[in-house]
Amino acid sequence: MPPPAQSVSPLAPIGVSAALEAAANPNFQPKAKIFDEFALTDRVGIVSGGNRGLGLEMALALCEAGARAVYCWDLPAEPSDEWVKTRDYVTKLGNGSRLEYASIDVRDQQAQWDKAKEIGDKEGRMDVCIAAAGILKTHTDCLTYPAQQFKDVLDVNTHGVLFTAQAAGQQMRRFGHGGSIILIASMSGSITNKDHAWVSYNSSKSAVLQMARSMACELGPERIRVNTLSPGHIYTSMTAAYLDAQPHLLEKWSSLNPLGRIGRPDELRGVIAWLASDASTFCTGSEYVSRFP
């Protein structure tokens, strides 16, 4: 006799089990469930750094997958024009999804905790968290790197990521339905960028990788999964500051990838939808990379 199942898919029977059930039961109605696994119907999420760039792209992906509400947290008091147009687009999708905005400083731990509780009180659940807020400072010699500048980067890229994950995770624990926390790291967390003096950025992203593994071990028994996504060279408003001022970098960065180009923000939508959904319920404590060394 096989051992008793330790877990069961919420869509069971699924896969080959469904095929065997159909063979044994003539009244069983076959149904393709692969897209159901990726669906985020009625789920609620938080995306820090969601005012523009990768954060906004990821927030939209969650809405398209059916999330009830996705709350974008960012520093500006008012959302960008890009965010407003994206919110209007979500409304036009007609799937009942909402894109919400909140002015939050990710360095403020208590503010994030309080806002997440407010969302939990309103929505009655918390399912997904994407901690995407991050900053990159100018090239600075590692041997003379100013203490305050180093602290400024870690305050956002490391401390802020932890505080966002805490805020969402507290609500996931509160409602007891599990959840998916996705920390946005970088290829710079596991490699270094030759000819780029980014010691603070690289260090902050490396810390995020270990943070996710540690949190995954602690929260696994509560079915709260914690993974990292490490994008490679992607054209965003942050990388544009370098590429537009130094056009030769585009050719250099593109040559480092077998595809001969840098990435688009929309090319991260698929992995985000997968990590946020039930299609990845056995994945935690892992780094998913979108790059080539």
Side-chain angles (χ1 to χ4, degrees), residues 59-135:
L60 175 56
L62 299 183
C63 290
E64 289 189 31
R68 180 205 305 171
V70 178
Y71 289 79
C72 296
W73 294 1
D74 220 317
L75 192 57
E78 298 295 330
S80 65
D81 182 62
E82 180 183 7
W83 187 92
V84 171
K85 290 177 179 176
T86 304
R87 178 202 60 193
D88 294 344
Y89 178 78
V90 168
T91 301
K92 293 174 183 177
L93 290 175
N95 65 354
S97 187
R98 306 187 332 263
L99 199 62
E100 306 277 0
Y101 183 81
S103 176
I104 296 279
D105 186 339
V106 296
R107 297 171 296 182
D108 189 333
Q109 183 184 50
Q110 193 61 52
Q112 292 203 75
W113 291 9
D114 292 345
K115 187 62 179 180
K117 184 178 185 303
E118 178 185 319
I119 293 170
D121 291 343
K122 176 182 178 181
E123 304 289 351
R125 63 185 302 153
M126 182 66 66
D127 305 281
V128 182
C129 170
I130 302 176
I135 60 173

Side-chain angles (χ1 to χ4, degrees), residues 205-227:
K205 293 301 185 177
S206 183
V208 168
L209 298 178
Q210 185 65 354
M211 180 190 303
R213 290 188 283 262
S214 299
M215 295 185 73
C217 288
E218 285 192 55
L219 299 176
E222 299 179 65
R223 293 185 298 116
I224 298 174
R225 300 181 292 113
V226 187
N227 292 288

Side-chain angles (χ1 to χ4, degrees), residues 2 21 27 33 41 61 84 97 105 111-112 117 119 161 177 181-182 194 210 218 226 232 238 246 272 274 289:
E21 177 70 18
N27 295 319
K33 295 181 179 179
T41 307
V84 171
S97 187
D105 186 339
Q112 292 203 75
K117 184 178 185 303
I119 293 170
V161 165
H177 300 145
I181 297 174
I182 307 164
K194 188 176 182 295
Q210 185 65 354
E218 285 192 55
V226 187
M238 187 166 68
Q246 304 175 76
I272 283 295
W274 175 67
V289 296

